[in-house]
Amino acid sequence: SQQGEEDPQALSIQEGENATMNCSYKTSINNLQWYRQNSGRGLVHLILIRSNEREKHSGRLRVTLDTSKKSSSLLITASRAADTASYFCATDEAGTALIFGKGTTLSVSS
Amino acid sequence: DSGVTQTPKHLITATGQRVTLRCSPRSGDLSVYWYQQSLDQGLQFLIQYYNGEERAKGNILERFSAQQFPDLHSELNLSSLELGDSALYFCASSARGLAGSYNEQFFGPGTRLTVL
């Protein structure tokens, strides 16, 4: 069953623009993670934000977490064509399985 | 490169058959997770092993089984295959995997299973 729900399902932008994806989840979590998947390939871990953190940065990525609203957002600044991929949020409830959302498909055109 | 390896990359087989997917975790990682990704179900957790023992079970069918060996590699066995089992199967590993810990998982490239 899906825990996280990403929004939007698909996003098309131009190179240089910022991309924002949102994730909502249902239960209490230990942490929330974002992954990237290029078409049909493995998932690449992008960033992990703990339940007691509100914001985290990694390079061009900025993640926020609002546990009161059970939501998170991923911002990719100055997007590049190479950022074209599907992005998934995954919640970790108990240090075991990650529960993934259905993902946002990002298309960055040059 | 995540450091997690999976073999084979592609597998084509017929309904009713049995296949084995193999995963080698990152060096030092004790936890191995198996996930299934299909168009209709998305990414679904199947099963987790920690240091050779089953730790958690998700939406794994009875026709599927897994094990983790003393060298920490893991195998996922799928039997009596059906058309609906066609999917990408991912293995992930983590240094941790115990309740209450931070659980960053590193994914392998996946095995694409096609059941004809």
Side-chain angles (χ1 to χ4, degrees):
Chain A
S1 61
Q2 245 68 35
Q3 156 82 301
E5 292 290 334
E6 288 93 341
D7 170 57
Q9 286 189 329
L11 182 59
S12 292
I13 59 174
Q14 299 283 321
E15 264 192 330
E17 294 181 338
N18 295 342
T20 300
M21 294 157 242
N22 302 297
C23 168
S24 60
Y25 58 92
K26 297 172 185 169
T27 63
S28 298
I29 59 173
N30 283 336
N31 61 72
L32 185 143
Q33 303 176 41
W34 285 89
Y35 287 81
R36 183 186 77 228
Q37 183 180 33
N38 290 85
S39 179
R41 303 185 121 183
L43 286 88
V44 175
H45 186 271
L46 296 176
I47 197 164
L48 180 153
I49 186 165
R50 300 171 185 174
S51 59
N52 61 354
E53 295 176 314
R54 291 296 165 257
E55 188 171 311
K56 203 161 181 180
H57 296 255
S58 176
R60 294 185 295 113
L61 305 180
R62 173 180 167 252
V63 168
T64 62
L65 179 65
D66 187 335
T67 53
S68 66
K69 294 181 179 176
K70 292 187 169 58
S71 67
S72 173
S73 68
L74 171 68
L75 168 68
I76 305 174
T77 59
S79 294
R80 306 165 182 168
D83 295 327
T84 295
S86 292
Y87 292 82
F88 296 88
C89 70
T91 51
D92 178 2
E93 296 175 17
T96 57
L98 292 179
I99 311 297
F100 285 85
K102 294 208 168 186
T104 293
T105 300
L106 173 65
S107 177
V108 182
S109 52
S110 53
Chain B
D1 184 0
S2 67
V4 178
T5 60
Q6 288 187 249
T7 57
K9 276 189 174 179
H10 302 276
L11 202 47
I12 301 174
T13 188
T15 54
Q17 294 299 303
R18 183 180 188 274
V19 297
T20 298
L21 313 183
R22 184 189 167 102
C23 167
S24 292
R26 290 187 322 157
S27 178
D29 282 359
L30 298 178
S31 272
V32 169
Y33 309 78
W34 287 97
Y35 293 86
Q36 179 195 59
Q37 186 179 34
S38 61
L39 280 173
D40 53 345
Q41 295 292 322
L43 265 158
Q44 299 278 325
F45 166 69
L46 296 178
I47 197 164
Q48 178 205 358
Y49 277 81
Y50 178 80
N51 202 20
E53 294 193 3
E54 184 183 301
R55 180 68 61 168
K57 246 179 176 176
N59 299 323
I60 188 165
L61 300 171
E62 283 191 17
R63 301 183 285 107
F64 296 1
S65 65
Q67 53 185 327
Q68 186 179 28
F69 294 86
D71 66 352
L72 300 177
H73 91 271
S74 177
E75 292 181 357
L76 178 67
N77 301 297
L78 315 176
S79 62
S80 303
L81 285 168
E82 302 175 359
L83 295 177
D85 297 328
S86 295
L88 262 172
Y89 290 85
F90 289 107
C91 164
S93 76
S94 167
R96 299 178 184 266
L98 302 177
S101 62
Y102 299 116
N103 189 22
E104 183 178 350
Q105 295 184 17
F106 296 87
F107 281 73
T111 292
R112 183 173 293 281
L113 174 66
T114 303
V115 182
L116 302 174

